Amino acid sequence: METNEILDTPKSNGHYTMWVEHKGTLYLSGQLPIHPITKEVPAGIEAQTKLLLHNIELTLKEAGSSKNHIIRNEIFIADVAHWATIDKVYADFFGDHKPARAVVGNAELHLGCLIEIVTTAAIIE
């Protein structure tokens, strides 16, 4: 189960774990664009998306996976007008790997964040 031994990985701030492994699949809790050390949320959707994807990558590494083993992402955004910017940052981050994806518009996200991602990934064999 979760250990968070790597100091700069995101930590849970409530009654949940950052990830759960079940039969070779990792289920990550919703991740927000919060810097794991400073707890700051950067300004703007581009900076938030980049930090969020980096945090997901750190969490996956700790759990025994990688971004290239992501199966699906559920992306929640505070404003659908940000979709094009998010898609560009997302495409740059993933390159040729294209996980299944859902994008859902929300009126508001926790702590005033503009984006949240829920990830499902396979463990590296």
Side-chain angles (χ1 to χ4, degrees):
M1 199 54 102
E2 176 189 14
T3 60
N4 281 330
E5 291 175 5
I6 301 172
L7 296 178
D8 61 351
T9 59
K11 311 287 187 279
S12 139
N13 291 318
H15 187 73
Y16 63 94
T17 184
M18 294 303 288
W19 51 268
V20 172
E21 183 274 336
H22 180 71
K23 297 185 180 184
T25 302
L26 291 170
Y27 300 90
L28 275 61
S29 293
Q31 306 283 311
L32 293 168
I34 301 171
H35 190 280
I37 304 289
T38 67
K39 305 299 182 201
E40 294 176 355
V41 175
I45 191 61
E46 184 173 350
Q48 286 192 24
T49 303
K50 286 178 180 179
L51 176 60
L52 178 51
L53 291 170
H54 176 71
N55 286 349
I56 289 170
E57 188 170 32
L58 290 175
T59 300
L60 287 171
K61 180 178 179 182
E62 179 182 50
S65 190
S66 74
K67 69 181 183 180
N68 291 327
H69 287 81
I70 292 177
I71 299 164
R72 175 182 162 86
N73 283 309
E74 296 173 47
I75 304 173
F76 299 90
I77 55 178
D79 187 343
V80 257
H82 295 309
W83 192 323
T85 302
I86 292 166
D87 193 56
K88 170 75 171 96
V89 173
Y90 190 89
D92 289 345
F93 178 78
F94 281 106
D96 291 334
H97 181 59
K98 294 182 180 180
R101 178 176 87 176
V103 178
V104 181
N106 277 346
E108 184 177 355
L109 295 169
H110 190 53
L111 302 174
C113 294
L114 301 173
I115 184 169
E116 179 174 356
I117 299 179
V118 177
T119 299
T120 305
I123 290 183
I124 298 172
E125 307 253 343

